[in-house]
Amino acid sequence: MEEFHKTLAELRLELEKVQFEREDNQAEVNQSVAALEEKLKEESLMSGDEYLVHELTEALEHFEETHPQLTDILGRMSDLLSKMGI
């Protein structure tokens, strides 16, 4: 879990560099990150919660070329969830 916390913090820092064209995209991304943070706080990540990372990945897909670091971070988050059995 600690590594997931670090990766989520890294994602937050990287997201500060992103210029969203539409406010609703930014709101969607922030909502997904907040949901992950809440689950981590409650230590209630469980099987089925991988959809949170999937939603975040979909919301950030159009930044894949301009912000490859986001893609890398999301990939690591997905891998960590998989290793935790989620």
Side-chain angles (χ1 to χ4, degrees):
M1 278 289 201
E2 185 178 328
E3 191 173 348
F4 197 82
H5 279 282
K6 286 182 190 177
T7 307
L8 192 54
E10 191 178 335
L11 177 64
R12 276 278 186 209
L13 289 173
E14 194 63 30
L15 284 172
E16 289 177 11
K17 300 175 188 175
V18 174
Q19 295 291 355
F20 289 88
E21 293 175 14
R22 296 175 37 199
E23 281 186 35
D24 58 332
N25 286 353
Q26 186 172 9
E28 183 180 352
V29 168
N30 287 334
Q31 182 178 2
S32 295
V33 172
L36 278 169
E37 289 173 332
E38 189 61 34
K39 289 274 188 180
L40 283 173
K41 255 193 270 184
E42 297 171 358
E43 295 187 6
S44 63
L45 277 171
M46 61 182 85
S47 183
D49 284 341
E50 69 273 0
Y51 78 92
L52 292 170
V53 173
H54 179 72
E55 284 182 354
L56 190 54
T57 302
E58 283 188 355
L60 292 169
E61 266 183 359
H62 58 281
F63 291 106
E64 193 169 357
E65 286 184 27
T66 56
H67 289 83
Q69 186 70 13
L70 287 175
T71 304
D72 177 59
I73 293 168
L74 292 169
R76 287 187 285 142
M77 289 176 73
S78 184
D79 289 344
L80 288 169
L81 287 172
S82 180
K83 287 177 184 175
M84 292 188 293
I86 298 171

